[in-house]
Amino acid sequence: MTTLPPARTPCTFCPYRQDVPSGVWAESEYAKLPPYDGETFEQPPRLFQCHVNDRDSDRARVCAGWAGCHDGGQLLGVRVALARGSITPETADAIAAYESPVPLFASGAEAAAHGMSSVLEPGEDARAAITKITTIRSDINHG
């Protein structure tokens, strides 16, 4: 199974979007964002997938916010996935060329700082988003 290219627009709950409320995702999810800010050799060797679909879904795709925030041509995860055959060359090209139509944070660190600011006490909008996400995703704890 290959991972699909990024969607045209980062999903409604993408942690890279500036208009997503703080505290939607768990602290562990926000902690995954800053390591992709480093030099290629310092980055995690895996793709960052969109949070909308289950990890193992046949609809799993690269996170559009991740592709838009970072230089896709310099992402170690893209290079490794291409070498392993878990993405196609066309998907790698789509990641490298991706430009978000909505404002994104300038870095994973900025996105993580925003997301973490209310992670212990999410506001009403964040709680509504959490409810929607746990309804959509079968691999997230619903309790």
Side-chain angles (χ1 to χ4, degrees), residues 45-46 78-87:
R46 60 192 169 278
V78 172
R79 295 177 183 187
V80 170
L82 187 57
R84 289 184 175 159
S86 56
I87 61 170

Side-chain angles (χ1 to χ4, degrees), residues 21-33:
S22 174
V24 171
W25 300 102
E27 182 177 348
S28 61
E29 292 301 306
Y30 291 118
K32 294 176 184 177
L33 308 181

Side-chain angles (χ1 to χ4, degrees), residues 7-29:
R8 288 180 4 150
T9 301
C11 73
T12 306
F13 311 116
C14 181
Y16 284 99
R17 285 179 67 136
Q18 291 182 5
D19 61 351
V20 170
S22 174
V24 171
W25 300 102
E27 182 177 348
S28 61
E29 292 301 306

Side-chain angles (χ1 to χ4, degrees), residues 39-80:
E39 296 294 324
T40 303
F41 69 91
E42 300 172 315
Q43 297 172 14
R46 60 192 169 278
L47 295 174
F48 194 81
Q49 290 186 341
C50 178
H51 285 85
V52 170
N53 295 304
D54 295 355
R55 289 184 192 100
D56 298 326
S57 167
D58 60 354
R59 296 180 308 173
R61 64 174 53 248
V62 170
C63 172
W66 178 73
C69 177
H70 302 288
D71 179 352
Q74 299 300 314
L75 287 165
L76 181 59
V78 172
R79 295 177 183 187
V80 170

